[in-house]
Amino acid sequence: MELLRHISEQINYQYNYLFPSKSYTTGVARLLVVISFIEDSSRIIFQWSEQLNYLRNQRGLSSTVSQIFLGLNVSIMLAGSFLAITKKHTKIAVGGLFTAVISQIVGYGLFLEFQFFLRNISILGGLLMLLAEGLTKPKSNFPGLLAPYHFDPSRYFQLAGRILLIMLSLYLVFPQQVTPMSLTLSAMGVISSFMIVVGFKVKFSAVLLALFLTAFNFLMNNWWSVNHNHPARDYLRYDFFQVLSIVGGLLLLVNLGPGSLSMDGKEKQF
């Protein structure tokens, strides 16, 4: 326990040293949370005809419905991303992006794609953290006195957000090849994910998991090294930006904290 506390303190110190401005890191985190939506919008725009052909031939949608579906998705994702980055109308931004995720799952018929499903669940967790970060919390007008009760929905969004955020990481941490190094990394990933769920040493756990996912992302989803004409390039690029969005959600968790519905939050109350 003392070793864990020492490591946590060192990570907190290094994080605060590298990123002294919380507003700066929060801005970077918001950008990362929505970067997969920006990339997805550009993909649809530059591959418009391919997207239309897929929806018509594979999903059986008419040309008109396909055009409307793609146009609405691009508009909602770009507008929602802009509002999220600028921290304006956060509820509308998150609601629009949430709708875009669900509509694409339905529109492209990807219910049974397990990894795709987990990635999108984790991205929804990042959006919930974005919503919690954007909500204004009431402050007491009587410092030092017991404040009147105010319903604070942000703590429930923080709880749901941090649970959903780790869904993809739980899938990724299980190694395809069993080696001492892979088993060590898997154990670290599982422990970090569990600590995030219960809200214990959240900054330490979220930074550790963000580092793990970032390393995995650059090693496994290196789309820039694949030939432009190779079909795997688009899949790797899609995965790369989605994992970046999840890393952004983890950085929001670091800055925002786990909320009162956590072990860390309860410790602060006493």
Side-chain angles (χ1 to χ4, degrees), residues 43-207:
R43 178 195 302 274
I44 292 175
I45 292 171
F46 290 107
Q47 298 178 356
W48 189 268
S49 59
E50 292 90 338
Q51 298 286 335
L52 282 177
N53 288 334
Y54 177 83
L55 292 173
R56 287 198 302 255
N57 300 330
Q58 301 297 323
R59 300 297 297 157
L61 301 179
S62 68
S63 180
T64 302
V65 173
S66 299
Q67 296 265 9
I68 293 173
F69 174 80
L70 293 177
L72 282 176
N73 269 275
V74 169
S75 301
I76 290 172
M77 287 190 292
L78 289 178
S81 297
F82 173 78
L83 292 175
I85 293 171
T86 57
K87 206 176 179 180
K88 296 178 180 178
H89 307 290
T90 302
K91 292 180 182 179
I92 296 175
V94 171
L97 296 175
F98 211 101
T99 302
V101 171
I102 302 302
S103 70
Q104 290 199 25
I105 292 176
V106 175
Y108 287 97
L110 296 170
F111 299 100
L112 300 179
E113 293 286 340
F114 186 61
Q115 190 172 353
F116 176 87
F117 177 77
L118 288 180
R119 283 198 304 266
N120 280 278
I121 287 295
S122 293
I123 287 177
L124 292 180
L127 291 178
L128 289 177
M129 295 303 301
L130 191 65
L131 180 59
E133 189 255 348
L135 290 176
T136 302
K137 299 180 181 180
K139 296 181 180 180
S140 172
N141 294 323
F142 309 98
L145 299 178
L146 183 64
Y149 172 77
H150 290 281
F151 175 69
D152 182 13
S154 66
R155 61 178 186 163
Y156 297 102
F157 292 130
Q158 286 171 273
L159 172 63
R162 70 174 194 262
I163 292 174
L164 295 183
L165 267 174
I166 57 93
M167 290 298 176
L168 179 65
S169 61
L170 285 178
Y171 176 84
L172 296 177
V173 295
F174 292 104
Q176 296 179 348
Q177 295 181 346
V178 178
T179 64
M181 177 61 72
S182 66
L183 289 175
T184 301
L185 291 174
S186 296
M188 290 172 60
V190 171
I191 293 172
S192 298
S193 299
F194 176 76
M195 290 171 66
I196 288 174
V197 170
V198 300
F200 177 67
K201 299 296 180 184
V202 165
K203 180 177 286 192
F204 160 73
S205 307
V207 169

Side-chain angles (χ1 to χ4, degrees), residues 226-243:
V226 179
N227 187 280
H228 284 77
N229 298 321
H230 198 289
R233 181 183 173 91
D234 274 347
Y235 290 105
L236 290 173
R237 180 180 173 183
Y238 180 79
D239 288 350
F240 179 84
F241 283 98
Q242 284 215 319
V243 174

